[in-house]
Amino acid sequence: MSYAVYWYEGDLGPRYAGRLDLRDSSLELSGSGLGHRVLESISFEDISSIRLSARRLRISCLERGELDIGSVDGPGSLRELAGHLASLVSDTPDL
C-alpha cells in the first residue's frame, strides 16, 4: 500500500516529499528534499506510538525520535494510513 506524503523529523527537521510504502515489517519513505533523493526505512518494531491529528500523523520511534507525516492525497488518507499502520505495529492511534 502506498501513500503520497510529505514528512519531517522533529519540529525543525528538513521537509521531504514523496511516498510512503507499507512493507511486511517496515514502512519505507522515498522522495526528495534539500536537493537530494532520500530512501528511509523504519521497522514496525521501532515504532512506539502513533498519534493522528487533523493535519498530521506523528510517529514516535524508539531509535530515531519523532516523525511527522502529512498527506498530499485526498481527504481521509491520513486516517486510513493510521489505521493500517496501527494494525501492523499493534498500536492504537489517537483517532
Side-chain angles (χ1 to χ4, degrees), residues 17-31:
R19 65 190 249 180
L20 182 149
D21 294 300
L22 295 175
R23 304 289 186 205
D24 290 336
S25 61
S26 65
L27 67 86
E28 185 175 277
L29 294 162
S30 59

Side-chain angles (χ1 to χ4, degrees), residues 3-10 13-21 27-33 38 40 53-59 67-74 77-78 81:
Y3 297 89
V5 298
Y6 63 87
W7 72 93
Y8 52 96
E9 291 187 47
R15 185 172 164 162
Y16 299 97
R19 65 190 249 180
L20 182 149
D21 294 300
L27 67 86
E28 185 175 277
L29 294 162
S30 59
S32 61
V38 294
E40 302 180 33
S53 70
R55 298 182 185 235
R56 72 176 178 192
L57 178 63
R58 177 164 280 185
I59 298 172
L67 178 72
D68 288 317
I69 298 172
S71 175
V72 295
D73 280 335
S77 294
L78 280 182
L81 172 58

Side-chain angles (χ1 to χ4, degrees), residues 30-53:
S30 59
S32 61
L34 300 175
H36 66 278
R37 304 266 316 142
V38 294
L39 177 62
E40 302 180 33
S41 181
I42 301 171
S43 167
F44 295 147
E45 292 177 358
D46 187 37
I47 297 174
S48 60
S49 70
I50 302 165
R51 293 182 307 276
L52 181 63
S53 70

